[in-house]
Amino acid sequence: MTLLDIMRTSAVIPVIAIDDPEHAVPLAKALVAGGIRVLEVTLRTKHGLGAIKAMSAVEGAIVGVGTLTQPEEFAAARDAGAVFGVSPGLTPALIAAARSSGLPLLPGVMTPSEVMAAREQGFQQLKLFPAVPAGGVGMLNALAGPLGDITFCPTGGISIETAPQFLKLKNVACVGGSWLTPKDLMQAGDWDGITALAKAASALR
């Protein structure tokens, strides 16, 4: 699958931070059961790589790695089973690491200049981050004119209530959000509750 194929698979890509490694597999199963197959597991906790490995074994799950900020993280995430990467920004070192690792990268951008710089490096799919502070729907509409060949996954400050406003834009393939994996449901082991959130998110397209 290309990165664009992955982005178009699910209307919402959950941004997942695993605090308890025992949550990884049941969480992945719950999300996939609700129709959310693309999972972004962040490296914000020490269990990130282990969770990627465990969740990659769940049937139907397409697991990527999020919060890539250091070049050495690319190969480690790829070896753990990640099939795509997401970063909050883009630097020359991250570009080199993405190319050497072969891990498709969805880099974060916030301004038109950053979009143009990323495009010059061959990136056609970008994450508008943080989406709402960056201007949200208004910014994406403005970018669609001069930079209409770029496809976005806006992430940051988006909720299930506001997601449809983003998903109807022609230059948006999906949105990123953390509301699909609330800590209270995860700590309670309420996987049916998370499946219900996933089903609601799947219906947003």
Side-chain angles (χ1 to χ4, degrees), residues 79-140:
D79 293 344
V83 296
F84 69 97
V86 185
S87 65
L90 189 62
T91 67
L94 295 185
I95 293 170
R99 289 173 176 164
S100 64
S101 69
L103 195 66
L105 177 63
L106 181 68
V109 294
M110 191 176 180
T111 68
S113 291
E114 291 176 356
V115 174
M116 293 171 67
R119 183 174 66 173
E120 284 182 4
Q121 294 297 324
F123 294 93
Q124 297 289 122
Q125 292 82 42
L126 304 173
K127 176 174 81 164
L128 182 67
F129 177 81
V132 172
V137 169
M139 172 64 88
L140 288 160

Side-chain angles (χ1 to χ4, degrees), residues 41 43 48-49 52-53 56 63-66 68 70-86 96-104:
V41 180
L43 297 182
L49 289 176
I52 290 169
K53 183 175 182 179
S56 295
V63 182
V65 56
L68 288 168
Q70 302 295 329
E72 61 271 18
E73 294 169 341
F74 283 75
R78 178 203 61 203
D79 293 344
V83 296
F84 69 97
V86 185
R99 289 173 176 164
S100 64
S101 69
L103 195 66

Side-chain angles (χ1 to χ4, degrees), residues 132-152:
V132 172
V137 169
M139 172 64 88
L140 288 160
N141 274 324
L143 292 171
L147 298 164
D149 57 330
I150 302 297
T151 303
F152 291 93

Side-chain angles (χ1 to χ4, degrees), residues 167-180:
L167 290 168
K168 70 181 181 182
L169 301 179
K170 63 181 181 180
N171 58 346
V172 170
C174 59
V175 301
S178 57
W179 79 84
L180 290 175

